[in-house]
């Protein structure tokens, strides 16, 4: 159990570390409904431990504050009325300091609990809480990047060592052989309910790229009029592009004829050989069509994963987010975690520069609606064998 | 080639026959953007033959009217500017009679062409045109049902013999064995580009119902508070239900405590043992969750198809509409037919009482966005083997 | 009472005459929520006589059809549930012929009634019904102009003698002297509740133009960049213009560098000296600002009316539509006629080429929201004396 | 000029004083587009002095920060591109402390300038800046009340001495005699362009209430079903009420059958004899209709003002916000202050508990769109003499 306590504390401290360069003001805004205030992430991840673990395992547990259970719930309809998602930006109080006090209080209670109790049920819930917090660590980064990146003065998060764009280490193609493969999580360690049950699937022969698409390649697509030609686009993608006047990935700005992009180190000229980030599924799909190729399915990706570098971008697949065989929703609030989102979303595989170390794995299924650009999302191409 | 001409004329006449009970006024409205005016269906199916075939195969072909190519185009971005879909209800002229004259003109030219030319390319395009018109025959029915069914006085389409609700002939379950199956169209006859290439897929063991869900069964779901309990619903479905105040399938009306529904024979009391129709994917999915079962995938459905009655309802599957292996988009306007819709839609299998005879087949992939209720859509359940 | 019967029949026949060039299809669409289907105007004006008069004055009156009271009500909340305004385009049945039969039935009953009863109450209600129908005659014209004018093939209503644009007969300015004036209706004839009570008002000295603004003058405004300079526009007007991409009055189209406009005789080149029509209040106000002048108030207009030609355009004033002193709302449905619209609308004075003869008068207060362009609305300018 | 400097400093300090109880977090949110973040008010009022005065009167003036001119502009289209109003909540940096430093810098420069220069032009602009800041002092209060009042935990602004609801000191009616009156500002002191020119107007005889409507009286309206009966409401008001599910003034909450309201001292039970606040024009108008009375016109109000207590609520009048005779818009950015809002808004007279002392006067014309509730707005009734 000491290992679990260590893992708990390491994760909790990492969240605080990520926030260290933020000002108090940075913690507050919810600029659009899908971006949550950093303060909310800090509180909500804490709420998860208090609500799902401390209230359950500690007799007569006295919560930090009676209102917090209500204020920092997210989607969990099972646990009482929740604050409308779009109103999170309005909650100025409790303030940042009080939320940190809330973290300290819950951490102390958790450490106490983990020092005294050692059951499988507790272990599993703590692991879920840790993984939940890791997911929010990534959202924290993408969300404050959104906040800073939509400020007309483009503030810098951190001068050096921030999450900057990296480059491909390998090139060429890996061939996937046709046949039946086992996919899905089959181990004993932590995993989400959406990646079991391990099951057989049939995969067709194809070549999958070892490198991800770069900024330079994507620039060629733009310069070739990619955003002006409907035939590269899915119909919904074309509508999205027209209605939102999209003409580049998020954070790209053309200033006096030169492309710049906003990074966590500020606004800088685009590097052509850095890996592309912040594209939507629609853009990924259109780029692939323009190349005469396609995106991988999530199973092609998983089958090839051992041959790929991955972990710098969430890679859009052409698989819709759907349940695996015999998927079932756990009873209670924990069951609301994944299953209810299994429509109208596309699967992303891999992981990104913003994903906490050790959080992802090759069976991990991330998912977003196809128009979202604000994650560190990129493109890996596939060629059919005799297409 | 006489067979083709016969098939052509049979289809064309069937369209006219379907419209026979309509008044001139019924041909005009576009009550919501996804419902097209009946007149538009008549003209657009005709336009397809003129634009895609007559203009191509007849030298110096003189179109019926220079404006029609523009007015009756649908999604085909390749063929010049198209009238915005939402404005179709505004085009009162050309009138109904002129559209029928247009049909007569194109039919005469087509008959002439089919009597003199006999090439594979022509044959394939005519077959595409026939199948295209058959699809619009079904849309015609669902669209004028929508128009009549949203008139507060509930007009009757046809007193007897209209498309009324039918009943299950078989009950019980068919077991699908786990294993590799071949799916997709592999024959020589007409088919759409979205159902080839035939390919292998791996299917898990399960039981699929021989009967479709009835009105009576769905009423139990309603009476059990199915529309009030979020845990049965996908998150998007719950939002849809709340925003649109949905509390029953389309055309259901509770009047003084008794359920009625609008049929093409008018407003009548619901028959409990008739097969449920006009539900959305969200409702189908929630119903299955309430039953502790699930919807079939499109491949489970196809693998079991020979053991099932089907053809009375389009059956929602839990498969997203995605390309089959090696799917490629044909060049030109014909290529806009299917591929660009392959995101955010769910596959429906089978066919409905409104589907023209001979139009559908077991590899046929219909698709709609998950919130649509206006098609003759129903529910078939699946049980996992040891779930 | 014979005079009243004659007036009744003359008005009723005039409505039919206006519709004579329409096709059955033209009667059906409601292209936007503020435009009603011509069939609806025919039925609703008839409904008014049936609901407000026949049901009241004829014992055991048997309505033409029990549903019509519900179908053809407009805003009259007092008289039962009404069909949502935006759904009027969906009511294909009763058809056009049945609506004409409804007119014939009600006319026969009205003639019968007017031949046998002669009370002041009846007389006042019939006059209200006649004036109500005259208002709808004008809306009929503006509404089918909208329907035809938004059809990409620009159908012709009537080849000759349609309502075409006319020219100014007088030029120069009329000086209004400062002082107390009596305004509002003070006579014994028919009038609306919004134009009494006659009362004193104080008017400042100014000059009012004898001519209305022409197409040519407005073209100068356009060519001078009037639609690109925010400083001429009210803030709401600028937002409206940006959101709706407005760059000219309604029905104006620039084709290959030449201005055309849609008239009831079809699409023709703009005549520079014809009187401008189909501008919004926002455009009228911006044009006046560009000229360094302003629009008249409704009282300036009324005080000067005897010196002006008017009746070719509804003239936007800079007066908001507000109640006159001691305005009170009549009890019952008749009271819903005017009072409840007295916010967020601007007064128009005069009358237009589409206004039935004898319908308007100098105390007549027309009113619309400031963004509407679809009426035959124009601009008269005012100069302050020492501005 | 020392008086002016004193007035300047007094106003500037008052703004800081108002903000004293706020936390850093409270300064940030823009919960809805019409509510600005407190930090923005602090910066924008400062920007006004820098942009309109310091840049103009000080040679080689070096602004505090080159970006601020862009960031803290409001509606002034004349002064370069402005940040979209709805994005103000996203600007976390510059932070609160830097904005206070900005204030200090500008104040020092202003004091310096006012100590050395003494011209009429300077004086007029400083007075405009002071009055501008006073207007924002009131908006500050209404905006942070909105922020705190929409936090589910209802934070307290200040325990004692906050702006609480006050009571009527006088009752009964004052009779206004019919006749010509002079209205509008005619003095030499500071005034806005919208309240000159002083001019004659004709007012009808009526009685105006000495007391404002209380919470208790408004509760009777609610309990009598006032929000359920369309006939009391303007059509736009009824639509507003239905679409926004309005059933009480802003900040009123019915909890277990008892009415509470949020005040700057927190959530407390409603006091029946306190003066009603936070109603929209629509609610004010409906309440008056329910009473069988009406709202005053702005001129009735002004003519009676010497006989009234006023200054606790902004009182909705039934006058639309329109230009006075010979109103003209000043050239440049200062001219954008008032004129461009003169459509679709209603005039409020008086002043409120949140209005800075000495800011308002009897000719002062406040204005808002008729649906806004977030100001300290109330109701004064008028009875027509023989109505």
């Amino acid at each position: 159990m000491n290992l679990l306590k260590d893992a708990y504390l390491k994760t909790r401290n990492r969240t605080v570390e990520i926030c260290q360069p933020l000002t108090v003001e940075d913690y507050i805004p919810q600029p659009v409904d899908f971006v949550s205030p950093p303060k909310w992430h800090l509180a909500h991840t804490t709420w998860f431990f208090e609500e799902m673990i401390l209230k359950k395992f500690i007799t007569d547990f006295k919560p930090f504050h009676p209102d917090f259970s209500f204020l920092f719930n997210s989607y969990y309809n099972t646990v009482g009325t929740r604050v409308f998602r779009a109103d999170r930006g309005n909650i100025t109080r409790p303030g940042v300091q009080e939320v940190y006090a809330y973290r300290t209080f819950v951490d102390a209670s958790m450490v106490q609990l983990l020092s005294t109790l050692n059951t499988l049920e507790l272990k599993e819930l703590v692991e879920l809480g840790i993984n939940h917090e890791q997911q929010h660590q990534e959202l924290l980064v993408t969300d404050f990047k959104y906040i800073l990146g939509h400020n007309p003065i483009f503030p810098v998060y951190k001068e050096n060592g921030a999450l900057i764009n990296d480059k491909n280490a390998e090139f060429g193609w890996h061939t996937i052989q046709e046949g039946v493969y086992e996919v899905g999580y089959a181990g004993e360690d932590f995993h989400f309910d959406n990646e079991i049950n391990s099951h057989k699937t049939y995969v067709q022969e194809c070549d999958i790229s070892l490198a991800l698409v770069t900024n330079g390649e994507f620039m060629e697509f733009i310069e070739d009029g990619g955003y002006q030609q409907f035939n590269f686009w899915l119909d919904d993608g074309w509508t999205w592009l027209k209605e939102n006047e999209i003409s580049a990935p998020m954070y790209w700005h053309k200033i006096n004829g030169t492309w710049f992009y906003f990074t966590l180190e500020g606004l800088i000229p685009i590097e052509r050989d850095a890996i592309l980030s912040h594209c939507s599924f629609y853009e990924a799909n259109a780029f692939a069509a323009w190349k005469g190729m396609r995106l991988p399915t999530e199973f092609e990706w998983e089958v090839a994963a051992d041959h790929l570098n991955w972990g710098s971008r969430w890679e859009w697949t052409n698989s819709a987010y759907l349940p695996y065989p015999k998927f079932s929703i756990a009873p209670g609030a924990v069951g609301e975690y994944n299953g209810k989102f299994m429509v109208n979303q596309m699967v992303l595989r891999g992981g990104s520069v913003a994903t906490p170390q050790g959080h992802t794995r090759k069976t991990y299924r991330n998912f977003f609606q196809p128009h979202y650009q604000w994650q560190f999302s990129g493109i890996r191409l596939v060629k059919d064998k005799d297409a």
Side-chain angles (χ1 to χ4, degrees), chain A:
Chain A
M1 210 57 159
N2 280 346
L3 279 179
L4 189 62
K5 193 165 69 182
D6 288 354
Y8 173 83
L9 288 172
K10 192 180 154 206
T11 302
R12 298 284 290 169
N13 292 338
R14 177 69 190 135
T15 304
V16 175
E17 213 173 284
I18 289 168
C19 294
Q20 193 276 325
L22 301 184
T23 66
V24 175
E25 293 88 341
D26 292 337
Y27 284 89
I28 304 307
Q30 182 177 31
V32 285
D33 63 354
F34 59 88
V35 167
S36 294
K39 189 183 76 178
W40 190 89
H41 288 296
L42 288 188
H44 168 69
T45 49
T46 305
W47 166 92
F48 189 97
F49 289 107
E50 188 181 58
E51 185 73 31
M52 303 287 184
I53 296 175
L54 296 177
K55 286 190 180 173
K56 182 171 191 154
F57 291 95
I58 300 182
T59 324
D60 300 329
F61 175 75
K62 203 179 154 294
F64 180 73
H65 194 290
D67 291 332
F68 283 24
S69 166
F70 169 70
L71 281 174
F72 299 122
N73 187 352
S74 60
Y75 291 98
Y76 305 96
N77 289 301
T78 309
V79 190
T81 317
R82 58 184 168 85
V83 175
F84 282 137
R85 200 175 184 195
D87 289 343
R88 291 177 186 168
N90 199 28
I91 304 169
T92 60
R93 309 189 196 178
V96 173
Q97 243 181 330
E98 195 172 0
V99 165
Y100 275 108
Y102 179 37
R103 291 185 69 87
T104 304
F105 169 84
V106 164
D107 286 351
S109 306
M110 282 295 298
V111 164
Q112 175 84 8
L113 177 66
L114 291 172
S115 307
T116 55
L117 190 67
N118 184 348
T119 69
L120 181 62
E121 192 192 6
L122 174 60
K123 177 172 173 287
E124 283 180 355
L125 278 170
V126 173
E127 281 177 345
L128 181 61
I130 288 172
N131 277 273
H132 174 253
E133 179 137 357
Q134 287 175 328
Q135 290 181 315
H136 279 279
Q137 285 171 359
E138 177 148 10
L139 288 171
L140 246 175
V141 176
T142 55
D143 288 0
F144 67 64
K145 180 167 183 179
Y146 190 99
I147 293 166
L148 299 177
H150 285 77
N151 184 330
I153 63 171
F154 296 117
V156 170
Y157 163 66
K158 210 152 83 178
E159 274 302 347
N160 292 304
L163 304 160
I164 54 160
N165 285 323
D166 41 9
K167 295 172 190 171
N168 285 302
E170 286 195 80
F171 300 89
W173 302 84
H174 167 74
T175 297
I176 300 173
Q177 301 300 330
E178 181 175 352
V180 173
Y181 290 87
E182 191 78 21
V183 292
Y185 188 77
E188 300 287 306
D189 294 330
F190 178 82
H191 56 269
F192 284 109
D193 58 352
N194 63 7
E195 54 188 308
I196 55 161
N197 299 306
S198 166
H199 63 284
K200 292 195 172 56
T201 194
Y202 199 96
V203 171
Q204 315 295 323
E205 191 183 33
C206 64
D207 286 340
I208 189 164
S209 173
L210 298 177
L212 297 180
V213 170
T214 63
N215 291 330
E217 290 172 289
F218 203 85
M219 246 184 252
E220 287 172 40
F221 170 67
I222 296 177
E223 281 154 20
D224 194 38
Y227 283 88
Q228 283 80 49
Q229 288 173 259
F230 69 86
N231 53 308
F232 298 133
W233 296 79
L234 290 162
D235 204 55
D236 283 5
W238 188 247
T239 302
W240 166 78
L241 171 163
K242 287 290 176 197
E243 285 183 356
N244 297 283
E245 301 179 35
I246 304 291
S247 57
M250 187 168 272
Y251 304 123
W252 287 41
H253 299 275
K254 199 166 198 171
I255 303 171
N256 299 326
T258 305
W259 282 107
F260 288 76
Y261 59 0
F262 175 74
T263 71
L264 290 171
E265 296 189 355
L267 192 73
I268 60 171
I270 281 181
E271 293 164 285
R272 294 189 70 93
D273 56 353
I275 298 172
L276 172 74
S277 197
H278 297 298
C279 68
S280 66
F281 169 79
Y282 294 131
E283 287 162 305
N285 197 279
F287 178 85
W290 173 75
K291 272 286 198 191
M293 302 183 192
R294 63 175 176 84
L295 303 179
T297 66
E298 62 170 321
F299 296 137
E300 287 165 352
W301 191 96
E302 187 171 330
V303 156
D306 292 340
H307 304 272
L308 309 174
N309 283 320
W310 46 273
S312 65
R313 296 294 174 276
W314 284 106
E315 305 174 22
W316 286 110
T317 73
N318 199 30
S319 294
Y321 181 48
L322 291 169
Y324 278 3
K326 296 182 185 159
F327 173 77
S328 70
I329 293 182
V334 166
E336 292 191 52
Y337 208 93
N338 274 312
K340 69 181 177 185
F341 301 113
M342 289 179 172
V343 71
N344 299 328
Q345 313 225 24
M346 300 305 286
V347 172
L348 301 99
R349 291 298 195 106
S352 87
V353 285
T355 311
Q357 235 178 339
H359 176 71
T360 193
R361 61 199 150 268
K362 74 171 179 179
T363 58
Y364 195 101
R365 305 173 80 201
N366 199 353
F367 53 92
F368 282 101
Q369 290 175 325
H371 66 285
Y372 281 126
Q373 300 178 301
W374 100 113
Q375 294 300 302
F376 290 86
S377 48
I379 308 174
R380 188 185 298 276
L381 293 173
V382 160
K383 293 190 291 192
D384 281 320
K385 218 41 192 181
D386 54 358

